Amino acid sequence: MKQSIVIADDHLLIAKAISAMIDGFRDFHVLYEVENGLKLQEKFKQPQNIPDIVLLDVSMPHMDGFETAFWLKTHHPEVAIMALSVQDDEQSLLKMIRNGAKGYLLKNVHPAELENALHTLRTKGMYFPEWAASRIVLTLSAGEHKAEQDITISAREQEFLTHACTELTYKEIAEKMFCSPRTVESYRDALFEKLKMKTRTALALYAVKTGLVKL
């Protein structure tokens, strides 16, 4: 079954071009396009209008991508958010991630990368290109990141990292690891402390970036 996508972008020509591109992908189709977050909220009042993925422009009038991402994270956490932007600055990137985005692409992305990004988002739970992953790791480290050789990660923490790179919930990870959710949280918190990070996304990106986890 094809995955459904909604595009939120105030530039109609861009939204239509992206829509036509995606409709050419084998495993995805576009439900509709909207100009901003307020329009998206209206559409979501009807269950049939709720997609698997929202491609979300960062800069929109009335309700921008940051506000819309936070609303989606709060009210529809089951919907995956992929940010689309002309901005590649760290502040926009990190703010979108904090507000719930699981991916971030620039609008000049090649169609093949967009298709790959959508597949990865659905199968792995996130997608960030190399430039974004590098900036996230460096920024979240904020100069406090220890040298890799000074960090000891246990086998169980490594196992947790592997599962953290998927879309599994903490409860589901606990079931996979045959332990309690509280124990899983202890692995997470220990890694937060060791790596000086604060989010699961940052842990996952670090794991992929350093080769601890192979996607």
Side-chain angles (χ1 to χ4, degrees), residues 56 58-59 65-66 69 81-106 127-140 199 201-202 205:
L56 187 58
V58 173
S59 300
F66 302 118
I81 304 168
M82 174 73 77
L84 272 179
S85 179
V86 296
Q87 305 174 49
D88 63 354
D89 60 287
E90 293 174 9
Q91 183 177 3
S92 297
L93 172 64
L94 293 172
K95 187 173 180 180
M96 283 301 292
I97 292 171
R98 283 194 295 269
N99 285 12
K102 302 300 183 184
Y104 197 103
L105 289 173
L106 298 179
Y127 177 85
F128 293 94
E130 179 68 21
W131 69 267
S134 299
R135 292 189 186 187
I136 292 166
V137 171
L138 289 173
T139 302
L140 291 177
T199 68
T201 300
L205 287 170

Side-chain angles (χ1 to χ4, degrees), residues 188-208:
R188 177 201 62 194
D189 293 343
L191 287 166
F192 281 168
E193 176 64 25
K194 289 179 180 181
L195 301 175
K196 305 301 181 186
M197 295 179 181
K198 298 180 179 179
T199 68
R200 174 174 172 174
T201 300
L203 286 179
L205 287 170
Y206 172 83
V208 173

Side-chain angles (χ1 to χ4, degrees), residues 36-54:
N36 56 58
L38 291 178
K39 297 285 188 180
L40 188 70
Q41 286 181 339
E42 286 296 315
K43 282 283 193 179
F44 269 47
K45 290 179 180 179
Q46 300 297 323
Q48 67 268 24
N49 289 333
I50 299 176
D52 298 301
I53 299 171
V54 171

Side-chain angles (χ1 to χ4, degrees), residues 7 26 71 79 84 88 119 142 168 179 182 187 196 200:
I7 301 170
R26 184 182 65 181
W71 180 82
V79 176
L84 272 179
D88 63 354
H119 275 293
L168 293 174
C179 64
R182 185 178 295 276
Y187 295 141
K196 305 301 181 186
R200 174 174 172 174

Side-chain angles (χ1 to χ4, degrees), residues 70-197:
F70 185 77
W71 180 82
L72 284 168
K73 181 177 74 170
T74 303
H75 298 280
H76 294 279
E78 75 282 4
V79 176
I81 304 168
M82 174 73 77
L84 272 179
S85 179
V86 296
Q87 305 174 49
D88 63 354
D89 60 287
E90 293 174 9
Q91 183 177 3
S92 297
L93 172 64
L94 293 172
K95 187 173 180 180
M96 283 301 292
I97 292 171
R98 283 194 295 269
N99 285 12
K102 302 300 183 184
Y104 197 103
L105 289 173
L106 298 179
K107 286 187 176 180
N108 63 357
V109 67
H110 191 279
E113 183 177 354
L114 174 59
E115 186 173 15
N116 177 59
L118 293 172
H119 275 293
T120 306
L121 180 64
R122 293 309 303 167
T123 58
K124 303 296 183 181
M126 67 178 68
Y127 177 85
F128 293 94
E130 179 68 21
W131 69 267
S134 299
R135 292 189 186 187
I136 292 166
V137 171
L138 289 173
T139 302
L140 291 177
S141 298
E144 300 178 72
H145 190 55
K146 296 180 180 179
E148 186 176 343
Q149 60 268 26
D150 293 334
I151 299 172
T152 301
I153 295 177
S154 71
R156 290 291 275 175
E157 289 168 350
Q158 169 79 49
E159 185 180 354
F160 165 76
L161 273 176
T162 301
H163 293 307
C165 291
T166 71
E167 57 187 356
L168 293 174
T169 65
Y170 286 126
K171 181 180 179 181
E172 290 168 335
I173 291 174
E175 292 172 357
K176 291 278 188 181
M177 295 181 68
F178 302 102
C179 64
S180 69
R182 185 178 295 276
T183 300
V184 164
E185 290 173 2
S186 73
Y187 295 141
R188 177 201 62 194
D189 293 343
L191 287 166
F192 281 168
E193 176 64 25
K194 289 179 180 181
L195 301 175
K196 305 301 181 186
M197 295 179 181

